[in-house]
Amino acid sequence: MQLIPLKTLLLTALLCGSMAGHAQKTWDIKNIPGPMRDKANVVIRTEVRTVERQSSAKFTLSVHEVKSILNKDGESEATLTIFYDRNSSVSGFEGAIYDADGILLKKLKSKDLADVSNNDYLLYSDSRVKLFRPTAKLPFTVEYRYTVSYKATYGLPGWMPQPGFHIATEKSEFQVITPPELGLKYMEVNIGSIKASSETVGSSKHYKWEASMLRAIPTEQYVDLLSEIPTVYLSAEKFSYEGYEGDFSNWENLGKWAAKLAEGRAELSPQTQAKVREMTAELPDVRTKIAVLYKYLQDRTRYFNVSLGIGGWQPLPASTVDDKGYGDCKALSNYMVALLKAADIPANMVIIGAGARTRIRYPDFASGNQANHAICCVPLATDTVWLECTSQTAPFGYLGQFTANRYCLVVTDNGGHIAKTPKLHTDDNVQSTRLDVALNPDGSATFALQTSCKNSLIEPMLPRLTESKEEQKKHLLQTINANGLTINTFSFAQSGMTLPEIALNITGTVRQYGSVTGNRLFVSANFLLGTGIPPVIEKERKMKLYVPTGYQMRDSLTLNIPAGYSAEFLPESSELNSTYGSYKIEYSHPAPEKILIYRFLQINDGIFDLPDFGAIEKFQKDIRNQGKIILTKIN
């Protein structure tokens, strides 16, 4: 047995103690300044992201990040997800988990990462994820280092030093290194006090952004978060994806690249072309032909994401979709273009950002990461028909809040141009309800409800149309605002060509529509389907109030008074108006046995800033402070 010299043992102990002490000093959660912990679930202790471009096709993203997870609500931020595919690879991973005192609990290596398919709904895909979910006693800290190497470029990753609510950032740094000849565009949004610099080092251009001490933002409702938080967007003027060269100097050039990918892929078999001509030959006008072909697409295709290499950007041939009956958004939109082409109706694929987070926010800044979806548009003599091709239930010509009222790139044979999808106008987004209630002396009631939802207000009901009766009834029982609800009959019906509409009829009973106190019945104006009133604005709100889509609620209620009772008190009719919306409620008593209530609510779309908040808060509170009807038993 070889003896280790005492000097060596002492030196080793000293070094180990020094490393432990350094870790404790560095990542001890007690070292986070108090203001940085205020309202924070997660604190980004340090983060360095570096994008280095080697060519129009190749670049690397190197990441080093340390996050302290303060409570259960922040645990999801500890999960590491690294996306890659056949055009990228992950290397150099190492990590660590530290306890609350900053003491190392576990070192992490590549073998600790799970390697899974990107999404269950990807039918064919080479997109994968390196995944790690740490488990440790709260609070704890995680540290990750890794590099992703890309050999095909479309978009370049940007930077959000504070990516969400309840996340504080002590230090975050973003570096971009690029050969000048490749061209780089960037856009800075809300950078405020963030330091930005650039310099030429040798043959490369270096850009750097540094953020520090960004305090956590508490959750606020109705916020367009990406317009509020600091962000840097990147765009490669020259890029290459599997041999397809392109550039983001403007949207027209991006359109040319997309048109090149789709070239020759909007062709159908002679048999299908003949079928299209047969279906449309006797139809009276172009719009009707488009509607029939759109229904044909909906009935015989389904959405599946097919993402194999260039297939992530290039649509499947229309003939393949016609044969297989599935495709992703690009493939189905291209198939719709092909069907219309067979009927001699010109149409275009459209590249667009879909959902709340992704949209083309900056039409003067062409970049790949502002769009994530494809639809179809059909220019007509006086207007344009827009078609969402991935949905089997979307009404003809209706885009919905998913893609309405936003910029998009219309792809043409000559390139592309920016357009804007139609807005969902407030006075078109209407829910009209007629409710007849027969009240009983014990507060229970029978009711008959008829409601019609138009335009954007059909969206909560659209999923119901494809459900079983059992599923529909279960949803209604969860949705209707009533104690002891029993549904006897109900039906859904979809209609409307100009504006999409869904009607819902329900009959049933309610165990407690009113409350009994002594010889009195107290009854609120309960229209069963909710008030439509948004949540009360937060008292310490800091961000602008964002209402993307306005709407109206038009309700009438007939309350049939039980025999032996009379109306003792009716609340006063009232009317309220503000920049945020308007409200009106009217009570009348046309006959001894009936009370009629009419209610109108309009919430306006728009962006409302701090000076508006006081009036908005008063408007919301005044609506909620409506009195109750009092019925008295006749002696």
Side-chain angles (χ1 to χ4, degrees), residues 370-443:
Q370 294 188 75
N372 61 355
H373 190 50
I375 58 176
C376 173
C377 76
V378 192
L380 300 179
T382 58
D383 65 350
T384 299
V385 176
W386 301 85
L387 301 172
E388 171 54 65
C389 300
T390 63
S391 171
Q392 281 70 55
T393 58
F396 170 69
Y398 178 76
L399 292 182
Q401 298 178 76
F402 194 55
T403 50
N405 192 31
R406 60 186 70 196
Y407 291 107
C408 61
L409 176 65
V410 179
V411 179
T412 67
D413 293 338
N414 299 320
H417 64 268
I418 289 291
K420 199 168 189 181
T421 56
K423 181 179 179 179
L424 298 167
H425 294 283
T426 298
D427 53 3
D428 289 333
N429 307 321
V430 179
Q431 178 176 300
S432 301
T433 299
R434 293 178 58 189
L435 177 62
D436 192 289
V437 174
L439 191 62
N440 298 316
D442 62 355

Side-chain angles (χ1 to χ4, degrees), residues 225-298:
L225 187 61
L226 294 185
S227 70
E228 300 274 0
I229 59 177
T231 306
V232 174
Y233 295 94
L234 298 182
S235 184
E237 287 195 2
K238 295 180 181 179
F239 69 92
S240 178
Y241 202 98
E242 293 200 3
Y244 287 85
E245 303 290 330
D247 77 74
F248 276 116
S249 57
N250 54 56
W251 290 108
E252 181 183 357
N253 287 340
L254 177 58
K256 289 178 181 178
W257 185 78
K260 186 176 180 182
L261 290 184
E263 192 174 299
R265 290 176 170 258
E267 303 298 330
L268 297 169
S269 68
Q271 294 85 353
T272 301
Q273 293 182 50
K275 185 172 184 178
V276 168
R277 288 191 290 270
E278 181 184 347
M279 284 192 298
T280 58
E282 304 299 323
L283 297 178
D285 54 61
V286 173
R287 184 177 287 272
T288 305
K289 291 179 180 181
I290 300 169
V292 167
L293 292 176
Y294 182 62
K295 184 68 166 61
Y296 178 75
L297 172 136
Q298 287 183 306

Side-chain angles (χ1 to χ4, degrees), residues 14-206:
L14 180 62
L15 288 173
C16 289
S18 175
M19 291 170 64
H22 176 72
Q24 183 171 351
K25 179 180 178 181
T26 305
W27 307 132
D28 188 336
I29 288 175
K30 292 190 293 294
N31 291 337
I32 301 172
M36 298 300 292
R37 281 184 277 179
D38 183 38
K39 298 182 176 65
N41 298 329
V42 178
V43 178
I44 298 173
R45 311 294 294 277
T46 187
E47 176 187 56
V48 180
R49 293 179 176 266
T50 303
V51 174
E52 185 168 3
R53 302 176 70 195
Q54 289 83 37
S55 68
S56 61
K58 296 180 179 180
F59 74 94
T60 59
L61 170 65
S62 299
V63 177
H64 174 222
E65 58 184 356
V66 181
K67 298 178 181 180
S68 290
I69 313 303
L70 304 185
N71 54 51
K72 191 171 182 62
D73 291 333
E75 280 188 302
S76 62
E77 287 294 324
T79 298
L80 175 68
T81 53
I82 311 172
F83 296 91
Y84 74 101
D85 58 21
R86 79 181 191 187
N87 288 310
S88 56
S89 60
V90 180
S91 63
F93 173 77
E94 60 181 14
I97 304 174
Y98 304 94
D99 69 8
D101 297 321
I103 304 300
L104 178 67
L105 296 175
K106 182 180 180 180
K107 287 187 176 181
L108 304 173
K109 299 294 183 183
S110 294
K111 63 181 178 62
D112 295 304
L113 300 178
D115 194 321
V116 298
S117 176
N118 184 359
N119 265 311
D120 291 337
Y121 61 82
L122 291 173
L123 185 62
Y124 298 117
S125 174
D126 54 22
S127 180
R128 299 191 65 80
V129 181
K130 299 282 190 180
L131 178 67
F132 177 72
R133 291 190 177 95
T135 55
K137 180 182 176 182
L138 289 164
F140 64 91
T141 297
V142 292
E143 179 176 16
Y144 303 126
R145 292 179 188 267
Y146 60 90
T147 297
V148 186
S149 301
Y150 298 85
K151 61 180 182 180
T153 299
Y154 175 71
L156 292 173
W159 179 59
M160 292 181 188
Q162 192 173 27
F165 293 118
H166 298 285
I167 299 175
T169 301
E170 286 192 281
K171 180 182 177 182
S172 180
E173 184 178 299
F174 184 48
Q175 303 179 61
V176 183
I177 303 170
T178 182
E181 65 270 15
L182 294 181
L184 178 74
K185 300 193 304 176
Y186 63 86
M187 173 169 280
E188 301 168 329
V189 181
N190 300 316
I191 64 167
S193 61
I194 290 173
K195 297 178 182 178
S197 61
S198 64
E199 61 178 340
T200 300
V201 180
S203 59
S204 297
K205 188 78 172 178
H206 289 226

